[in-house]
Amino acid sequence: MKAAGLKVLRAALLPLLLLTPAQAGGAAEPAWVGRAVDVAATPLCRALGCTLQTVRVNTPDTMGWHDGQQRTYRTATGWRLEVDVHPGGQVSGARLLRPGAPRGTRLSDAQTREAAAFLSALTGRGFRAQAVRNCVTAGLAAQDRDPDAYGPTDPLSRWSTPAGWPFRARCGVAGAGLLGVWAGWRQG
């Protein structure tokens, strides 16, 4: 009974925990991108219940910085969080994915809020749940027209760092049965 009560309480509080400090009326937290971040210790990961699953050291034959890592976390709410990390811990990008999502799956309202909170924490930019929902809907429509499309052609957001590095936030299907959102350097 206690576990069920905690689950109900967590479900009720999760939307409040997922507010970025700026949305809650406080100062915005620095973005994960471009900084050394202990992802598991972030407010977002504490709210989602992130648990580190694997650390893959990249090689010239793997996607990502050839001398970096990909750290994969699972969340208590069913997401797979993949974080690309440079030597020294600097985050260059990340993906929040729903493993095993059948083709045509839409995100629930709670999942959409979690995805928007993830993009906000990762990038330091504000993402609204409705923008994520619209992006996923456009991605599903793109896949109906072209089964090889992974999402809409336009990103959710694009910007450049002060040094001129191009960053993008995207949504769609990142592979077989992986519906989600992602952002980082050179995301097409």
Side-chain angles (χ1 to χ4, degrees), residues 2 6 18 25-26 31 35 39 49 57 74 80 85 91-92 98 134 141 149 154 160 164 174 180 186:
K2 284 186 179 182
L6 287 174
L18 291 174
R35 296 182 42 241
V39 171
V57 176
R74 291 278 183 206
R80 183 169 84 200
V85 181
V91 174
S92 64
R98 298 294 304 177
N134 293 346
D154 291 328
S160 294
R186 303 177 80 178

Side-chain angles (χ1 to χ4, degrees), residues 93-114:
R95 292 156 299 286
L96 187 67
L97 305 167
R98 298 294 304 177
R103 187 168 182 81
T105 298
R106 299 188 185 284
L107 296 176
S108 70
D109 289 344
Q111 292 166 344
T112 303
R113 286 189 301 273
E114 291 168 359

Side-chain angles (χ1 to χ4, degrees), residues 76-91:
T77 57
W79 293 99
R80 183 169 84 200
L81 171 59
E82 299 173 350
V83 182
D84 299 324
V85 181
H86 292 272
Q90 183 182 14
V91 174

Side-chain angles (χ1 to χ4, degrees), residues 28-44:
E29 278 189 51
W32 298 0
V33 168
R35 296 182 42 241
V37 176
D38 178 0
V39 171
T42 63
L44 177 77

Side-chain angles (χ1 to χ4, degrees), residues 15-33:
L16 297 174
L17 293 171
L18 291 174
L19 290 176
T20 65
Q23 290 169 325
E29 278 189 51
W32 298 0
V33 168

Side-chain angles (χ1 to χ4, degrees), residues 32-35 65 86 90-94 122-123 125 155-170 182-188:
W32 298 0
V33 168
R35 296 182 42 241
W65 290 94
H86 292 272
Q90 183 182 14
V91 174
S92 64
L122 175 64
T123 66
R125 302 168 67 82
L156 266 163
S157 179
R158 69 180 68 175
W159 68 99
S160 294
T161 66
W165 288 19
F167 276 80
R168 307 282 185 271
R170 310 287 310 214
W182 54 95
W185 181 53
R186 303 177 80 178
Q187 295 293 315

